[in-house]
């Protein structure tokens, strides 16, 4: 990394997200090194950024306190936003992850409403907007991401009438009845409507948003077009709300399966588990939205009633650590670990687990080996914007074997119709689906996997980003070439 070469106000394309696409690492000599964090959004944006001369990314560098100076990495200019410890607690862990996250995921746990958290959310959003507004070129594009930054589009719009602003919501948008619980709900809607184009994962999310705008703000809506009245003499602005299901870098994931070291690792994994006939896999952030408890309950009952023999069949649950300072996540971890301990205590044969529980993260290659080794993958989310794990499993099976059990409550269920679809709240149905998946003949697996792969390989994250930006680009040119305020 090196200091930013460009002067401000010349980036054609600016991404704003809570986190920067890099993590800082402190070297033994005390110096800081930046490592790219390989998330889906980063991958998607990399391909977009390659096509623009000067792309910028505005976000938090991940450590509270003084922000590093802007710097260049991976051909992008990175603009770190400062968050104090108190912002992390109130804006991020509080309002974003203990108010919005549970509310937007259909109140699986109770959202907490605290007025102090809102003040901090507002202030933090302002800081992101203030960092982003001056760095976009005249007439440039600013793409804001996710529920932590819903006030940013309007805040940027107030400073820059010349730029195009897009917003993508990675998580569900709740029904108007649930959304109405949110204190300051109208400020959130007005914040979002500062954008020209609002993207959602599934059609139902888009419809929920539009219904909230109509009911709570009373704005006129015609199909996907929302008419936002101007303040004072300002003209009406037209805002589009549309559906863009996110995806993965499908070709890269699929190609990893050809790597001989990864293939060998997949076989070794199976041997390490005592050569079971069947491996069933779950991969999730340790989050209450992912339905890990429901999955373990079903698995425990299948072992209890003898439908599954732990000598033949092993379950691996990767539960990546997440939001460990938020109370609901601590409780979840305790419950999951208690349940895994009980299942293993009652059912694990000597020397091998009934459930191999992994509370840490794996690198991409190891993850691919896991997908290649898994006969069945369980995605039992109670609510999930999309769920990329489901798509990654499909991309990891060019051999056309393996079965995906997929919750109807994950956005991916709209596209991945050939999966074994389940309602994870119905434990009997979930148990039956697991048994069906384990018993599925090879030809039937092949037929389903072929159809799933068609969907995932054709619709990758590059196409998703391209589609969003093209639709944003196609919107009517913003008025004038106002210089940044
Ligand atoms: C949000 C929305 C939406 C997990 N553990 C490890 C690891 N992962 C990777 C997975 C996958 C990603 O993290 C998780 O993505 P998901 O989509 O499954 O879920 P969220 O984190 O909740 O993401 C979601 C998404 O945003 C995108 O819009 O789909 O609905 O909630 O890629 O593979 N990766 C590695 N090691 C791990 O241990 N390397």
């Amino acid at each position: 990394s090196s200091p930013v070469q460009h002067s401000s106000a010349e980036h054609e394309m600016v991404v704003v997200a809570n986190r920067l696409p890099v993590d800082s690492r402190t070297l033994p000599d005390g110096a800081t090194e930046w490592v790219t964090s390989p998330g889906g959004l980063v991958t998607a944006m990399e391909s977009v950024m390659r096509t623009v001369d000067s792309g910028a990314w505005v976000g938090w560098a991940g450590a509270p306190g003084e922000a590093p100076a802007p710097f260049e990495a991976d051909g992008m200019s990175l603009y770190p936003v400062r968050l104090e410890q108190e912002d992390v607690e109130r804006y991020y862990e509080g309002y974003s992850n203990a108010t919005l996250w549970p509310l937007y995921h259909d109140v699986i746990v109770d959202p907490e409403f605290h007025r102090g958290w809102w003040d901090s959310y507002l202030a933090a959003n302002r800081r992101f907007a203030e960092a982003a507004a001056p760095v976009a070129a005249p007439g440039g594009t600013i793409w804001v991401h996710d529920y932590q930054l819903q006030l940013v589009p309007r805040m940027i719009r107030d400073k820059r009438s010349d730029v195009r602003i897009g917003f993508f919501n990675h998580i569900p948008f709740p029904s108007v009845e649930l959304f109405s619980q949110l204190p300051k709900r109208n400020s959130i809607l007005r914040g979002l409507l500062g954008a020209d184009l609002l993207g959602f994962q599934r059609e139902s999310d888009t419809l929920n948003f539009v219904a909230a705008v109509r009911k709570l703000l009373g704005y006129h809506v015609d199909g996907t077009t929302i008419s936002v009245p101007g303040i004072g003499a300002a003209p009406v602005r037209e805002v589009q709300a549309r559906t863009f299901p996110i995806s993965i870098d499908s070709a890269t994931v699929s190609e990893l399966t050809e790597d001989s070291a990864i293939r060998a690792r997949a076989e070794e994994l199976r041997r390490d588990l005592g050569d079971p006939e069947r491996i069933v896999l779950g991969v999730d952030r340790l989050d209450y939205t992912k339905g890990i408890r429901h999955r373990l309950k079903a698995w425990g009952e299948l072992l209890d009633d003898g439908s599954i023999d732990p000598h033949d069949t092993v379950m691996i649950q990767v539960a990546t650590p997440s939001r460990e300072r938020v109370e609901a996540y601590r409780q979840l971890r305790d419950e999951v670990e208690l349940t895994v301990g009980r299942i293993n205590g009652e059912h694990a044969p000597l020397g091998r687990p009934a459930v191999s529980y992994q509370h840490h993260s794996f690198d991409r290659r190891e993850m691919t080996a896991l997908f290649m080794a898994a006969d069945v993958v369980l995605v039992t989310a109670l609510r999930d914007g999309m769920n990329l794990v489901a798509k990654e499993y499909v991309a990891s099976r060019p051999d056309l074997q393996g079965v995906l059990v997929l919750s109807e409550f994950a956005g991916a269920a709209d596209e991945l119709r050939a999966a074994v679809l389940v309602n994870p709240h119905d434990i009997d149905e979930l148990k039956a689906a697991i048994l069906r998946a384990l018993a599925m003949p090879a030809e039937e697996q092949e037929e389903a996997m072929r159809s799933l792969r068609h969907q995932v390989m054709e619709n990758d994250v590059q196409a998703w980003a391209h589609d969003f930006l093209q639709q944003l680009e196609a919107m009517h040119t913003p008025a004038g070439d106002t210089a940044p305020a």
Side-chain angles (χ1 to χ4, degrees), residues 38 40 101 105 146 168 170-171 201 246 283-285 289-290 318 320 360-364 367 371 384-389 392:
W101 180 271
H105 287 87
D146 227 359
F168 186 76
H170 290 257
I171 69 173
Q201 300 273 30
I246 200 170
V283 176
D284 311 85
R285 274 188 309 99
T289 58
K290 304 294 182 181
V318 176
T320 315
H360 54 90
S361 63
F362 291 92
D363 68 24
R364 216 356 89 197
M367 203 62 99
F371 286 137
D384 212 335
M386 177 55 58
N387 195 287
L388 298 180
V389 169
E392 286 161 358

mmCIF file of all heavy atoms in Angstrom, residues 38 40 101 105 146 168 170-171 201 246 283-285 289-290 318 320 360-364 367 371 384-389 392, ligand 1:
data_model
loop_
_atom_site.group_PDB
_atom_site.id
_atom_site.type_symbol
_atom_site.label_atom_id
_atom_site.label_comp_id
_atom_site.label_asym_id
_atom_site.label_seq_id
_atom_site.Cartn_x
_atom_site.Cartn_y
_atom_site.Cartn_z
ATOM 1 N N PRO A 38 -11.255 -11.299 1.786
ATOM 2 C CA PRO A 38 -11.841 -11.871 0.568
ATOM 3 C C PRO A 38 -13.336 -12.108 0.670
ATOM 4 O O PRO A 38 -13.805 -13.210 0.493
ATOM 5 C CB PRO A 38 -11.081 -13.200 0.442
ATOM 6 C CG PRO A 38 -10.722 -13.567 1.848
ATOM 7 C CD PRO A 38 -10.716 -12.320 2.680
ATOM 8 N N GLY A 40 -17.444 -11.491 -0.545
ATOM 9 C CA GLY A 40 -18.126 -11.486 -1.837
ATOM 10 C C GLY A 40 -18.208 -10.094 -2.436
ATOM 11 O O GLY A 40 -18.003 -9.908 -3.629
ATOM 12 N N TRP A 101 -30.653 -5.285 12.755
ATOM 13 C CA TRP A 101 -30.455 -6.683 12.298
ATOM 14 C C TRP A 101 -31.609 -7.591 12.739
ATOM 15 O O TRP A 101 -32.245 -8.231 11.901
ATOM 16 C CB TRP A 101 -29.080 -7.191 12.747
ATOM 17 C CG TRP A 101 -28.793 -8.607 12.334
ATOM 18 C CD1 TRP A 101 -29.091 -9.735 13.042
ATOM 19 C CD2 TRP A 101 -28.181 -9.059 11.105
ATOM 20 N NE1 TRP A 101 -28.696 -10.861 12.341
ATOM 21 C CE2 TRP A 101 -28.133 -10.474 11.158
ATOM 22 C CE3 TRP A 101 -27.671 -8.404 9.974
ATOM 23 C CZ2 TRP A 101 -27.587 -11.244 10.129
ATOM 24 C CZ3 TRP A 101 -27.124 -9.184 8.942
ATOM 25 C CH2 TRP A 101 -27.094 -10.572 9.021
ATOM 26 N N HIS A 105 -34.664 -9.058 10.298
ATOM 27 C CA HIS A 105 -34.766 -10.515 10.147
ATOM 28 C C HIS A 105 -35.994 -11.044 10.907
ATOM 29 O O HIS A 105 -35.939 -12.096 11.562
ATOM 30 C CB HIS A 105 -33.486 -11.201 10.617
ATOM 31 C CG HIS A 105 -32.321 -11.023 9.677
ATOM 32 N ND1 HIS A 105 -31.479 -9.948 9.740
ATOM 33 C CD2 HIS A 105 -31.873 -11.785 8.645
ATOM 34 C CE1 HIS A 105 -30.557 -10.056 8.780
ATOM 35 N NE2 HIS A 105 -30.771 -11.164 8.107
ATOM 36 N N ASP A 146 -25.648 -1.444 2.386
ATOM 37 C CA ASP A 146 -26.160 -2.163 3.553
ATOM 38 C C ASP A 146 -26.733 -1.335 4.704
ATOM 39 O O ASP A 146 -26.620 -0.117 4.756
ATOM 40 C CB ASP A 146 -25.102 -3.147 4.061
ATOM 41 C CG ASP A 146 -25.712 -4.526 4.319
ATOM 42 O OD1 ASP A 146 -26.919 -4.686 4.127
ATOM 43 O OD2 ASP A 146 -24.968 -5.433 4.724
ATOM 44 N N PHE A 168 -27.530 -0.643 -2.031
ATOM 45 C CA PHE A 168 -27.941 -2.051 -2.030
ATOM 46 C C PHE A 168 -28.060 -2.553 -0.596
ATOM 47 O O PHE A 168 -27.157 -2.377 0.216
ATOM 48 C CB PHE A 168 -26.962 -2.939 -2.811
ATOM 49 C CG PHE A 168 -27.470 -4.357 -2.916
ATOM 50 C CD1 PHE A 168 -28.491 -4.674 -3.818
ATOM 51 C CD2 PHE A 168 -26.977 -5.352 -2.088
ATOM 52 C CE1 PHE A 168 -28.998 -5.974 -3.884
ATOM 53 C CE2 PHE A 168 -27.485 -6.653 -2.158
ATOM 54 C CZ PHE A 168 -28.490 -6.964 -3.058
ATOM 55 N N HIS A 170 -28.180 -5.673 1.734
ATOM 56 C CA HIS A 170 -27.779 -7.089 1.680
ATOM 57 C C HIS A 170 -28.666 -7.993 2.515
ATOM 58 O O HIS A 170 -28.615 -9.206 2.382
ATOM 59 C CB HIS A 170 -26.324 -7.233 2.135
ATOM 60 C CG HIS A 170 -25.347 -6.668 1.157
ATOM 61 N ND1 HIS A 170 -24.607 -7.453 0.310
ATOM 62 C CD2 HIS A 170 -25.015 -5.380 0.862
ATOM 63 C CE1 HIS A 170 -23.848 -6.686 -0.459
ATOM 64 N NE2 HIS A 170 -24.077 -5.420 -0.143
ATOM 65 N N ILE A 171 -29.438 -7.401 3.405
ATOM 66 C CA ILE A 171 -30.274 -8.216 4.297
ATOM 67 C C ILE A 171 -31.743 -8.029 3.888
ATOM 68 O O ILE A 171 -32.059 -7.190 3.043
ATOM 69 C CB ILE A 171 -30.006 -7.855 5.782
ATOM 70 C CG1 ILE A 171 -30.515 -6.475 6.147
ATOM 71 C CG2 ILE A 171 -28.496 -7.973 6.081
ATOM 72 C CD1 ILE A 171 -30.417 -6.149 7.644
ATOM 73 N N GLN A 201 -32.518 -7.881 -2.323
ATOM 74 C CA GLN A 201 -32.173 -9.256 -2.698
ATOM 75 C C GLN A 201 -33.328 -9.985 -3.385
ATOM 76 O O GLN A 201 -33.153 -10.638 -4.394
ATOM 77 C CB GLN A 201 -31.770 -10.052 -1.441
ATOM 78 C CG GLN A 201 -30.568 -9.501 -0.690
ATOM 79 C CD GLN A 201 -29.248 -10.026 -1.230
ATOM 80 O OE1 GLN A 201 -29.139 -10.333 -2.414
ATOM 81 N NE2 GLN A 201 -28.242 -10.105 -0.366
ATOM 82 N N ILE A 246 -27.972 -11.101 -5.201
ATOM 83 C CA ILE A 246 -26.498 -11.125 -5.235
ATOM 84 C C ILE A 246 -26.015 -12.547 -5.477
ATOM 85 O O ILE A 246 -26.763 -13.511 -5.277
ATOM 86 C CB ILE A 246 -25.908 -10.547 -3.928
ATOM 87 C CG1 ILE A 246 -24.450 -10.102 -4.129
ATOM 88 C CG2 ILE A 246 -26.020 -11.539 -2.785
ATOM 89 C CD1 ILE A 246 -23.886 -9.299 -2.963
ATOM 90 N N VAL A 283 -22.277 -24.499 7.185
ATOM 91 C CA VAL A 283 -21.271 -23.418 7.271
ATOM 92 C C VAL A 283 -22.016 -22.108 7.477
ATOM 93 O O VAL A 283 -22.787 -21.684 6.605
ATOM 94 C CB VAL A 283 -20.436 -23.299 5.977
ATOM 95 C CG1 VAL A 283 -19.483 -22.114 6.056
ATOM 96 C CG2 VAL A 283 -19.663 -24.581 5.686
ATOM 97 N N ASP A 284 -21.809 -21.498 8.618
ATOM 98 C CA ASP A 284 -22.526 -20.243 8.888
ATOM 99 C C ASP A 284 -21.689 -19.356 9.796
ATOM 100 O O ASP A 284 -20.908 -19.866 10.593
ATOM 101 C CB ASP A 284 -23.827 -20.517 9.675
ATOM 102 C CG ASP A 284 -24.664 -21.618 9.079
ATOM 103 O OD1 ASP A 284 -24.399 -22.804 9.387
ATOM 104 O OD2 ASP A 284 -25.572 -21.299 8.317
ATOM 105 N N ARG A 285 -21.899 -18.056 9.703
ATOM 106 C CA ARG A 285 -21.487 -17.214 10.826
ATOM 107 C C ARG A 285 -22.357 -17.665 11.993
ATOM 108 O O ARG A 285 -23.523 -18.047 11.797
ATOM 109 C CB ARG A 285 -21.772 -15.734 10.531
ATOM 110 C CG ARG A 285 -20.691 -15.023 9.770
ATOM 111 C CD ARG A 285 -20.918 -13.506 9.664
ATOM 112 N NE ARG A 285 -22.241 -13.183 9.177
ATOM 113 C CZ ARG A 285 -23.259 -12.832 9.955
ATOM 114 N NH1 ARG A 285 -23.122 -12.713 11.270
ATOM 115 N NH2 ARG A 285 -24.432 -12.560 9.424
ATOM 116 N N THR A 289 -29.891 -15.953 13.022
ATOM 117 C CA THR A 289 -30.724 -16.003 11.813
ATOM 118 C C THR A 289 -30.487 -17.282 11.016
ATOM 119 O O THR A 289 -31.282 -17.610 10.129
ATOM 120 C CB THR A 289 -30.412 -14.817 10.876
ATOM 121 O OG1 THR A 289 -29.014 -14.863 10.535
ATOM 122 C CG2 THR A 289 -30.722 -13.498 11.552
ATOM 123 N N LYS A 290 -29.389 -17.978 11.287
ATOM 124 C CA LYS A 290 -28.982 -19.090 10.412
ATOM 125 C C LYS A 290 -29.668 -20.407 10.759
ATOM 126 O O LYS A 290 -29.469 -21.407 10.068
ATOM 127 C CB LYS A 290 -27.453 -19.251 10.459
ATOM 128 C CG LYS A 290 -26.677 -17.985 10.082
ATOM 129 C CD LYS A 290 -26.861 -17.586 8.616
ATOM 130 C CE LYS A 290 -26.038 -16.342 8.271
ATOM 131 N NZ LYS A 290 -26.194 -15.916 6.878
ATOM 132 N N VAL A 318 -19.454 -25.792 10.796
ATOM 133 C CA VAL A 318 -18.537 -24.653 10.891
ATOM 134 C C VAL A 318 -19.382 -23.466 11.346
ATOM 135 O O VAL A 318 -20.357 -23.097 10.684
ATOM 136 C CB VAL A 318 -17.873 -24.335 9.536
ATOM 137 C CG1 VAL A 318 -17.009 -23.083 9.639
ATOM 138 C CG2 VAL A 318 -17.061 -25.526 9.042
ATOM 139 N N THR A 320 -18.568 -19.803 12.241
ATOM 140 C CA THR A 320 -17.543 -18.764 12.282
ATOM 141 C C THR A 320 -17.885 -17.725 13.352
ATOM 142 O O THR A 320 -19.024 -17.249 13.394
ATOM 143 C CB THR A 320 -17.466 -18.080 10.903
ATOM 144 O OG1 THR A 320 -17.475 -19.092 9.912
ATOM 145 C CG2 THR A 320 -16.222 -17.248 10.765
ATOM 146 N N HIS A 360 -14.294 -21.517 14.404
ATOM 147 C CA HIS A 360 -13.203 -20.676 13.897
ATOM 148 C C HIS A 360 -13.379 -20.591 12.398
ATOM 149 O O HIS A 360 -14.200 -21.323 11.823
ATOM 150 C CB HIS A 360 -11.830 -21.265 14.256
ATOM 151 C CG HIS A 360 -11.632 -22.684 13.840
ATOM 152 N ND1 HIS A 360 -11.121 -23.042 12.623
ATOM 153 C CD2 HIS A 360 -11.929 -23.853 14.469
ATOM 154 C CE1 HIS A 360 -11.078 -24.359 12.521
ATOM 155 N NE2 HIS A 360 -11.567 -24.887 13.631
ATOM 156 N N SER A 361 -12.611 -19.709 11.751
ATOM 157 C CA SER A 361 -12.821 -19.602 10.307
ATOM 158 C C SER A 361 -11.749 -20.388 9.556
ATOM 159 O O SER A 361 -10.678 -20.657 10.082
ATOM 160 C CB SER A 361 -12.872 -18.147 9.877
ATOM 161 O OG SER A 361 -11.642 -17.559 10.152
ATOM 162 N N PHE A 362 -12.087 -20.760 8.346
ATOM 163 C CA PHE A 362 -11.196 -21.524 7.487
ATOM 164 C C PHE A 362 -10.834 -20.665 6.286
ATOM 165 O O PHE A 362 -11.591 -19.781 5.925
ATOM 166 C CB PHE A 362 -11.922 -22.764 6.963
ATOM 167 C CG PHE A 362 -12.194 -23.792 8.024
ATOM 168 C CD1 PHE A 362 -13.386 -23.785 8.726
ATOM 169 C CD2 PHE A 362 -11.253 -24.766 8.308
ATOM 170 C CE1 PHE A 362 -13.633 -24.735 9.695
ATOM 171 C CE2 PHE A 362 -11.499 -25.717 9.284
ATOM 172 C CZ PHE A 362 -12.688 -25.709 9.980
ATOM 173 N N ASP A 363 -9.719 -20.999 5.633
ATOM 174 C CA ASP A 363 -9.450 -20.230 4.419
ATOM 175 C C ASP A 363 -10.284 -20.800 3.264
ATOM 176 O O ASP A 363 -10.922 -21.838 3.378
ATOM 177 C CB ASP A 363 -7.952 -20.130 4.104
ATOM 178 C CG ASP A 363 -7.341 -21.462 3.695
ATOM 179 O OD1 ASP A 363 -8.081 -22.348 3.207
ATOM 180 O OD2 ASP A 363 -6.128 -21.612 3.874
ATOM 181 N N ARG A 364 -10.297 -20.060 2.174
ATOM 182 C CA ARG A 364 -11.149 -20.375 1.020
ATOM 183 C C ARG A 364 -10.896 -21.799 0.486
ATOM 184 O O ARG A 364 -11.814 -22.519 0.110
ATOM 185 C CB ARG A 364 -10.821 -19.350 -0.052
ATOM 186 C CG ARG A 364 -11.851 -18.780 -0.988
ATOM 187 C CD ARG A 364 -13.251 -19.236 -0.984
ATOM 188 N NE ARG A 364 -14.086 -18.489 -0.070
ATOM 189 C CZ ARG A 364 -15.290 -18.880 0.363
ATOM 190 N NH1 ARG A 364 -15.825 -20.011 -0.043
ATOM 191 N NH2 ARG A 364 -15.975 -18.147 1.200
ATOM 192 N N MET A 367 -12.294 -24.378 2.761
ATOM 193 C CA MET A 367 -13.745 -24.331 2.625
ATOM 194 C C MET A 367 -14.184 -25.130 1.389
ATOM 195 O O MET A 367 -15.163 -25.869 1.421
ATOM 196 C CB MET A 367 -14.155 -22.865 2.477
ATOM 197 C CG MET A 367 -15.544 -22.579 2.861
ATOM 198 S SD MET A 367 -15.809 -22.941 4.570
ATOM 199 C CE MET A 367 -15.683 -21.359 5.218
ATOM 200 N N PHE A 371 -16.665 -28.402 1.062
ATOM 201 C CA PHE A 371 -17.819 -28.526 0.151
ATOM 202 C C PHE A 371 -17.679 -29.769 -0.738
ATOM 203 O O PHE A 371 -18.660 -30.453 -1.033
ATOM 204 C CB PHE A 371 -17.961 -27.273 -0.724
ATOM 205 C CG PHE A 371 -18.490 -26.071 0.007
ATOM 206 C CD1 PHE A 371 -17.925 -24.803 -0.185
ATOM 207 C CD2 PHE A 371 -19.570 -26.171 0.882
ATOM 208 C CE1 PHE A 371 -18.413 -23.677 0.475
ATOM 209 C CE2 PHE A 371 -20.075 -25.041 1.555
ATOM 210 C CZ PHE A 371 -19.482 -23.796 1.346
ATOM 211 N N ASP A 384 -32.783 -14.910 5.825
ATOM 212 C CA ASP A 384 -31.460 -14.616 5.284
ATOM 213 C C ASP A 384 -31.653 -13.824 3.999
ATOM 214 O O ASP A 384 -32.497 -14.196 3.176
ATOM 215 C CB ASP A 384 -30.729 -15.942 4.972
ATOM 216 C CG ASP A 384 -29.216 -15.869 5.155
ATOM 217 O OD1 ASP A 384 -28.660 -14.761 5.056
ATOM 218 O OD2 ASP A 384 -28.602 -16.922 5.396
ATOM 219 N N GLY A 385 -30.900 -12.739 3.840
ATOM 220 C CA GLY A 385 -31.041 -11.923 2.643
ATOM 221 C C GLY A 385 -30.916 -12.785 1.393
ATOM 222 O O GLY A 385 -31.821 -12.847 0.560
ATOM 223 N N MET A 386 -29.750 -13.453 1.266
ATOM 224 C CA MET A 386 -29.536 -14.351 0.136
ATOM 225 C C MET A 386 -29.081 -15.719 0.635
ATOM 226 O O MET A 386 -29.737 -16.718 0.480
ATOM 227 C CB MET A 386 -28.490 -13.739 -0.815
ATOM 228 C CG MET A 386 -28.109 -14.611 -1.997
ATOM 229 S SD MET A 386 -29.501 -15.158 -3.003
ATOM 230 C CE MET A 386 -30.246 -13.612 -3.503
ATOM 231 N N ASN A 387 -27.921 -15.778 1.236
ATOM 232 C CA ASN A 387 -27.144 -16.949 1.663
ATOM 233 C C ASN A 387 -26.223 -17.416 0.546
ATOM 234 O O ASN A 387 -26.612 -18.138 -0.378
ATOM 235 C CB ASN A 387 -27.983 -18.121 2.179
ATOM 236 C CG ASN A 387 -27.068 -19.108 2.927
ATOM 237 O OD1 ASN A 387 -26.286 -19.832 2.300
ATOM 238 N ND2 ASN A 387 -27.112 -19.076 4.234
ATOM 239 N N LEU A 388 -24.972 -17.001 0.675
ATOM 240 C CA LEU A 388 -23.972 -17.314 -0.340
ATOM 241 C C LEU A 388 -23.425 -18.718 -0.198
ATOM 242 O O LEU A 388 -22.938 -19.298 -1.171
ATOM 243 C CB LEU A 388 -22.827 -16.296 -0.264
ATOM 244 C CG LEU A 388 -23.247 -14.851 -0.540
ATOM 245 C CD1 LEU A 388 -22.056 -13.916 -0.437
ATOM 246 C CD2 LEU A 388 -23.897 -14.727 -1.921
ATOM 247 N N VAL A 389 -23.509 -19.291 1.012
ATOM 248 C CA VAL A 389 -23.006 -20.647 1.222
ATOM 249 C C VAL A 389 -23.724 -21.619 0.278
ATOM 250 O O VAL A 389 -23.102 -22.493 -0.331
ATOM 251 C CB VAL A 389 -23.184 -21.052 2.702
ATOM 252 C CG1 VAL A 389 -22.916 -22.539 2.905
ATOM 253 C CG2 VAL A 389 -22.256 -20.218 3.588
ATOM 254 N N GLU A 392 -22.182 -21.249 -3.050
ATOM 255 C CA GLU A 392 -20.793 -21.746 -3.056
ATOM 256 C C GLU A 392 -20.755 -23.272 -3.132
ATOM 257 O O GLU A 392 -19.895 -23.855 -3.794
ATOM 258 C CB GLU A 392 -20.048 -21.254 -1.807
ATOM 259 C CG GLU A 392 -19.699 -19.779 -1.906
ATOM 260 C CD GLU A 392 -19.379 -19.120 -0.578
ATOM 261 O OE1 GLU A 392 -19.450 -19.793 0.475
ATOM 262 O OE2 GLU A 392 -19.062 -17.921 -0.582
HETATM 263 C C1 LIG B 1 -24.935 -11.124 4.392
HETATM 264 C C2 LIG B 1 -26.401 -11.540 4.377
HETATM 265 C C3 LIG B 1 -26.146 -12.247 2.005
HETATM 266 C C4 LIG B 1 -18.236 -18.206 6.413
HETATM 267 N N1 LIG B 1 -17.392 -18.811 7.250
HETATM 268 C C5 LIG B 1 -16.187 -18.772 6.647
HETATM 269 C C6 LIG B 1 -16.306 -18.134 5.420
HETATM 270 N N2 LIG B 1 -17.580 -17.790 5.304
HETATM 271 C C7 LIG B 1 -18.108 -17.110 4.125
HETATM 272 C C8 LIG B 1 -19.075 -17.970 3.363
HETATM 273 C C9 LIG B 1 -19.835 -16.915 2.586
HETATM 274 C C10 LIG B 1 -19.853 -15.741 3.553
HETATM 275 O O1 LIG B 1 -18.825 -15.974 4.510
HETATM 276 C C11 LIG B 1 -21.174 -15.665 4.298
HETATM 277 O O2 LIG B 1 -22.147 -15.171 3.440
HETATM 278 P P1 LIG B 1 -23.667 -15.491 3.664
HETATM 279 O O3 LIG B 1 -24.398 -14.994 2.491
HETATM 280 O O4 LIG B 1 -23.815 -16.960 3.881
HETATM 281 O O5 LIG B 1 -24.115 -14.749 5.011
HETATM 282 P P2 LIG B 1 -23.836 -13.317 5.761
HETATM 283 O O6 LIG B 1 -22.474 -13.250 6.306
HETATM 284 O O7 LIG B 1 -24.913 -13.224 6.786
HETATM 285 O O8 LIG B 1 -24.008 -12.179 4.636
HETATM 286 C C12 LIG B 1 -26.606 -12.684 3.392
HETATM 287 C C13 LIG B 1 -24.761 -11.659 2.052
HETATM 288 O O9 LIG B 1 -24.644 -10.637 3.050
HETATM 289 C C14 LIG B 1 -24.366 -11.054 0.706
HETATM 290 O O10 LIG B 1 -25.279 -10.084 0.295
HETATM 291 O O11 LIG B 1 -26.147 -13.379 1.168
HETATM 292 O O12 LIG B 1 -27.971 -13.054 3.358
HETATM 293 O O13 LIG B 1 -26.830 -11.925 5.682
HETATM 294 O O14 LIG B 1 -19.136 -16.503 1.451
HETATM 295 O O15 LIG B 1 -18.389 -18.912 2.587
HETATM 296 N N3 LIG B 1 -15.295 -17.940 4.543
HETATM 297 C C15 LIG B 1 -14.085 -18.412 4.912
HETATM 298 N N4 LIG B 1 -13.868 -19.036 6.106
HETATM 299 C C16 LIG B 1 -14.895 -19.241 6.992
HETATM 300 O O16 LIG B 1 -14.693 -19.827 8.050
HETATM 301 N N5 LIG B 1 -13.037 -18.255 4.071
#
